[in-house]
Amino acid sequence: ANAGSEINFEGKGGRDGGPYVMTLERDPRALRLALAHLKIMTENGIWEDGAEAACGLRGKGRDDLITSSSITDDEVSNFTYNNIAGCDVVKVTDALATVEAMANDIGESRPAPFDIVFIDADKTRLLEYVDALLVNDL
């Protein structure tokens, strides 16, 4: 959102461009935690109030986090931060297959190229993720 404000981006960022965050989650707890963090960020911002609210998640049990029971395998939870940055939490069964499909325009629309990609995935397949992203200019 800050980057969007700096370049005077108007509208809401998303898969087509602009400020945008996408997280692919397979593990139910990681999915709930990502949803809880994005919900906190959209409601409280990223500064002191948001940090305090996020700290409140420490020690929370599975049932205390936002539920993912209403999210099916092919659904996306959407958030907007500061009315400018689009945020998608995507439930997947195989994150690498999802990245490869996006890179090859299979299934859902291909997102605009990402400026930064953080990969916290199966370490034995890490280079496969990098290859899928770089070879296909994702």
Side-chain angles (χ1 to χ4, degrees):
N2 291 339
S5 296
E6 288 298 317
I7 63 170
N8 296 318
F9 181 82
E10 294 190 21
K12 177 185 147 195
R15 285 182 174 230
D16 297 330
Y20 177 65
V21 174
M22 174 192 286
T23 181
L24 306 175
E25 301 294 346
R26 178 183 55 84
D27 177 69
R29 176 150 171 82
L31 178 72
R32 286 184 180 94
L33 192 58
L35 288 169
H37 273 106
L38 285 172
K39 183 174 190 287
I40 286 170
M41 182 181 75
T42 58
E43 293 175 354
N44 300 287
I46 59 174
W47 305 114
E48 192 171 321
D49 290 343
E52 187 174 321
C55 285
L57 294 176
R58 290 187 183 145
K60 295 281 186 187
R62 176 181 175 170
D63 295 333
D64 295 326
L65 295 175
I66 196 166
T67 182
S68 65
S69 61
S70 63
I71 301 172
T72 63
D73 287 337
D74 59 338
E75 284 190 297
V76 176
S77 290
N78 305 99
F79 296 86
T80 302
Y81 173 69
N82 206 19
N83 293 322
I84 194 168
C87 304
D88 288 343
V89 179
V90 183
K91 182 178 179 184
V92 298
T93 54
D94 185 340
L96 178 58
T98 302
V99 168
E100 291 172 335
M102 285 190 302
N104 293 305
D105 290 324
I106 299 170
E108 296 185 34
S109 63
R110 178 185 172 125
F114 292 100
D115 294 320
I116 298 172
V117 175
F118 174 79
I119 302 170
D120 180 23
D122 178 2
K123 304 309 181 235
T124 63
R125 297 171 71 191
L126 195 58
L127 289 178
E128 293 176 64
Y129 281 90
V130 173
D131 285 342
L133 293 164
L134 292 177
V135 170
N136 297 296
D137 195 28
L138 192 62

